[in-house]
Amino acid sequence: MNAFLARSPALADLHRVAPRLLLACAVASLCGCAVVRVDMPAQGVTPPDRFAEAPAEPGTALPDTARWWRQVPDPTLHALIERGLQANADVRIALARVKEARGVSSQAESALYPTLTGFGGIGRNRQDILPSTPDGLPVPLPDVRVPISRFDGFGLAAAWEVDLFGRRRSDIDAAREAELAQTERVHGAQLLVAGDIAANYAEARAIEHRLGVLDRVEATLQMLLRYVQGRFNAGQASRADIDRVQAQLAGVQGQRAPLQGLRASRLRRLAVLSGQTPDALTALPAPTAAAPADARVIPTALPTVLPSSVLEQRPDVRGTARQVRALAARLGSAKAELLPSFYLGFLNTDGRLSIGDNLGARDQFTAWGVGMRLPIFEGGRIRARIASADARLEAAAVQHEQAVLTALEDVENAYAMRHALDQRATQLTASLQHGNDAARHAQRLFEQGSTLLQPALEARLAALQREDELIQTQAARARATIAFYQAIGGGWQDDTPARAEAVEHTPH
């Protein structure tokens, strides 16, 4: 390369001439710059000031929703979710898509800079020329053989498209917005994974508690069966009384296998969600006093959120907004194709061609140039591309409106479901309290000899039935709470500045 520069005075002066050329291009860009303006589609949805199902009172303060599960004092749940955020397949796929989008963005940015290409070659060639004998000659002509030829050459070529009308800038904006949209998909995947792990964990813990209640129900029925059998033997009860208790016992025993199977499926799901094989998780750690692992630790009061804050937090809403801006930039790029394109170029070559031993020549060639390309007739290609880009932008705007409506609906539904389950839990708690009181009083009457044991056992069974219903309601309330935090967006904040209502694509 040094030898090449030494033999290329024009190229050796490139560092002195290039700054002047760049300055001239910059002045031309500033003086002749035109703006390709793309108006953003009008927002078709006006969010309300507040949610209709939100509590009238201010409610609790909004916690750190980026790690909302930290409110639950359960280290097992924390560990599962943190592992899932790192190892879950959906999250890793989304992260790979971000890397891909980042590469596309870097590729688009590279179009703003000049390209410099070096080339060279060396070769040898031997070609025999055997002419045909003309008609009428008695003898053929001798063979004519061209001697060995040698050639070599190398050089540099530079080219730069001056982005006067912002087409390249539009492509960069589109790529950057598409990259940010992919980042929101990562946030969405994280939100879904955290919610799915928490919901399956709450369900698995609820099943464990239900199995514990089932053990007590079965033990009580076994006691009742022995008591009725004894009374039957004494002639104080009928065979129908025994059959009725046996039917209840068989029904309760039949509930065990489905509950155990459901718990196993929840554990397998937790393992897969956290990036493990399905058989990696066969049991959960036993609850402790500090971590009761029970739905009662789920916060009972929901924070009051505003629709505007939800739309700012939801990854799907932010992602569709990014997609709209990306397609608006692509529309600007398509429109800029109607305008002329300007190019700067430089070429310097140095080479030698030899024919035989004595015939040959060395030559050097240097050229500067400015070019322009103006589309005159493209068969409607550019107009068709603009129409397609405009239609894609329109569809993306509608998808964004749909995402906004879905977000508002999800929060309203989550609020309403929590209100309903709160009321049911309150009623079942009172019912359980009354049932326990009734069982205790019946047991006391039996101990005092005022009544038989059977009413006391039946009162205990009724109370256990209320306890099972309360556990199921508490689990449903836990899932509703998880759905609420998913509905408000999970808290992954967007720290990029908001764009204006119109996107202007112009070179800088």
Side-chain angles (χ1 to χ4, degrees), residues 218-299:
E218 185 175 352
T220 303
L221 284 172
Q222 292 282 7
M223 185 184 300
L224 180 58
L225 180 60
R226 289 194 298 269
Y227 175 76
V228 174
Q229 184 71 48
R231 294 194 69 214
F232 173 78
N233 294 338
Q236 298 174 350
S238 65
R239 186 65 191 179
D241 294 329
I242 297 178
D243 292 340
R244 183 176 65 253
V245 177
Q246 288 178 334
Q248 289 179 296
L249 181 60
V252 168
Q253 291 172 340
Q255 296 176 20
R256 183 174 302 279
L259 283 177
Q260 291 174 337
L262 187 58
R263 180 183 59 178
S265 67
R266 292 291 182 263
L267 294 179
R268 285 191 289 269
R269 187 61 187 152
L270 283 173
V272 172
L273 285 171
S274 57
Q276 306 175 72
T277 57
D279 58 347
L281 193 61
T282 57
L284 295 174
T288 63
D294 148 334
R296 292 172 298 178
V297 299
I298 297 294

Side-chain angles (χ1 to χ4, degrees), residues 177-212:
E177 293 293 343
E179 177 186 345
L180 292 173
Q182 289 292 345
T183 302
E184 296 301 340
R185 293 186 179 181
V186 174
H187 297 162
Q190 292 171 332
L191 179 64
L192 290 175
V193 167
D196 286 350
I197 289 177
N200 281 275
Y201 181 80
E203 186 69 22
R205 288 300 193 186
I207 294 171
E208 289 180 349
H209 286 84
R210 292 188 66 195
L211 286 170

Side-chain angles (χ1 to χ4, degrees), residues 34 51 63 67 101 131 136 159 168 171 242-243 251-252 299 334 340 351 355 370 382 414 429 437 472 478 481 508:
F51 289 105
R67 294 292 183 269
R168 296 299 186 185
D171 292 338
I242 297 178
D243 292 340
V252 168
I355 302 177
V370 177
I382 297 178
T429 301
D437 291 342
Q472 295 182 62
T481 303
H508 300 285

Side-chain angles (χ1 to χ4, degrees), residues 453-507:
L453 179 59
Q454 184 170 351
L457 295 177
E458 291 176 346
R460 188 186 305 176
L461 289 172
L464 289 173
Q465 178 64 29
R466 299 289 83 76
E467 184 176 351
D468 183 69
E469 292 175 359
L470 180 59
I471 291 173
Q472 295 182 62
T473 300
Q474 289 174 337
R477 187 173 66 173
R479 293 194 300 271
T481 303
I482 295 165
F484 170 80
Y485 283 107
Q486 286 182 302
I488 65 175
W492 281 277
Q493 297 294 335
D494 184 11
D495 55 1
T496 55
R499 296 296 186 92
E501 289 301 320
V503 177
E504 292 188 358
H505 305 283
T506 178

Side-chain angles (χ1 to χ4, degrees), residues 71-109:
Q71 301 174 80
V72 182
D74 193 326
T76 303
L77 175 62
H78 302 170
L80 284 171
I81 292 181
E82 295 296 342
R83 181 186 177 102
L85 294 179
Q86 298 295 326
N88 181 266
D90 291 334
V91 174
R92 291 160 59 195
I93 290 172
L95 287 171
R97 297 288 186 229
V98 171
K99 293 179 182 178
E100 178 186 3
R102 191 170 296 140
V104 173
S105 180
S106 299
Q107 181 181 354
E109 291 175 359

Side-chain angles (χ1 to χ4, degrees), residues 417-434:
M417 183 59 68
R418 261 301 302 265
H419 294 335
L421 291 171
D422 286 345
Q423 294 176 10
R424 177 166 174 77
T426 301
Q427 294 166 352
L428 285 174
T429 301
S431 177
L432 176 59
Q433 182 63 43
H434 294 316

Side-chain angles (χ1 to χ4, degrees), residues 337-339 373-385:
E337 283 195 28
L338 293 172
L339 302 173
R373 177 182 177 276
L374 177 64
I376 297 177
F377 178 73
E378 295 281 346
R381 180 186 62 84
I382 297 178
R383 296 289 182 183
R385 184 185 173 197

